[in-house]
Amino acid sequence: MRKRDKIGLALGGGGARGVAHIGVLKVLEREGIPIDLIVGSSIGALVGGAYAVNPDAVAIEKRLSEFLSPEGEQSRGLKLLGRTRWNKPEKSGLVHRLSRIAGKEMFLSLALLRNALLSENDIRECVAAFLPDIDLEDTRIPFAAATVDLVSGEEVVLTQGSIIPAVMASCAVPGFMPPIRWGERVLVDGGVVDAVPVSSAKREGAETVIAVDVSACLCQPCIVEDGIDAINRATEIMGFHLNRRSTEGAHVVIEPVVSQFEWTDFLNYEALIREGEKAAESKIEEIRHLLGPGFRRKIFRWVRKMTPRTRKEALRMGLPHRALE
């Protein structure tokens, strides 16, 4: 039988919308889709890194639920980001206007007085809640974090060193999160250059790439009342077109419908995960076709040799339920 291609997963950035990656991973795991390497950008690096360390999407979902609970002290940084939700076109009253103005003034004051809205310690606490302090080379699935050097402008894909600062660097949205020093480099969010790191996954050895794009479309109404609104909208437009270019080389592109969520809307994680599941389920047949009939035959031959105990273990690891019936 011909050896199958090495499959890479490219997980893009999008703030809270990236929680949909968990739903995608749940479906790929359940359907027995093999993942040989993962490259993540921004929140795609956080979710992808957590899955690379422990390939159990349900466990990541549970950890997120615990992390975002009212008692969760580690999530205070994300709750602070939630206060920057200014762009609500369905709300136009005086109270909402005043709230938007106050929120923008708070953000500008903090951004001018220090290098980011959140501190490096805030980000470290968030990332460390999902990742152990191990080296990038010690993950169960090979993993890389996409970043950008703020000084040189070069894309930097991290494959060695501690996983926590690597993911912190990939998640460092300029202005909101501080840059991370990595040797002589000053690293920020990989989405600045490569929003969905398909090309990076190929450079890391993937022959077939499944991309997950969690960017928002431009179909949502927006408010443009001042300079900050204009900058935000321009950033959305640039991000939209950058994401489209980033996914051009992917063999399959999974696009959860997440435009109705703001990039700080972490508390809607359950709905975001469901959108990820729905989007992945709609692409499963396409992925199976890409893998070829030999992959399915191999699974069913393995199943016939299973004992009840190994069958139960395979279910836990994500083998397709239909194969185990």
Short mmCIF file of all heavy atoms in Angstrom, two decimals, residues 49 105 121 286 299:
data_model
loop_
_atom_site.label_atom_id
_atom_site.label_comp_id
_atom_site.label_asym_id
_atom_site.label_seq_id
_atom_site.Cartn_x
_atom_site.Cartn_y
_atom_site.Cartn_z
N GLY A 49 -0.99 24.15 20.21
CA GLY A 49 0.04 23.69 21.14
C GLY A 49 -0.52 22.79 22.22
O GLY A 49 0.08 21.77 22.57
N GLU A 105 -11.03 55.54 25.63
CA GLU A 105 -10.11 56.38 26.40
C GLU A 105 -9.26 55.53 27.34
O GLU A 105 -8.07 55.78 27.51
CB GLU A 105 -10.90 57.43 27.19
CG GLU A 105 -11.46 58.55 26.31
CD GLU A 105 -12.09 59.66 27.14
OE1 GLU A 105 -12.23 59.48 28.36
OE2 GLU A 105 -12.45 60.70 26.54
N ASN A 121 2.88 39.15 32.37
CA ASN A 121 2.46 38.17 33.37
C ASN A 121 1.03 37.71 33.14
O ASN A 121 0.70 36.53 33.32
CB ASN A 121 2.60 38.77 34.78
CG ASN A 121 2.39 37.74 35.86
OD1 ASN A 121 3.09 36.72 35.91
ND2 ASN A 121 1.42 37.95 36.74
N GLU A 286 -14.80 15.49 2.22
CA GLU A 286 -13.72 16.02 1.39
C GLU A 286 -12.36 15.56 1.90
O GLU A 286 -11.47 15.20 1.12
CB GLU A 286 -13.80 17.55 1.38
CG GLU A 286 -12.81 18.22 0.46
CD GLU A 286 -12.94 19.74 0.45
OE1 GLU A 286 -14.01 20.26 0.85
OE2 GLU A 286 -11.97 20.40 0.04
N ILE A 299 -8.09 1.36 8.62
CA ILE A 299 -8.79 1.50 9.89
C ILE A 299 -9.67 0.28 10.17
O ILE A 299 -9.63 -0.30 11.26
CB ILE A 299 -9.66 2.78 9.90
CG1 ILE A 299 -8.75 4.00 10.10
CG2 ILE A 299 -10.70 2.73 11.01
CD1 ILE A 299 -9.49 5.31 10.20
#
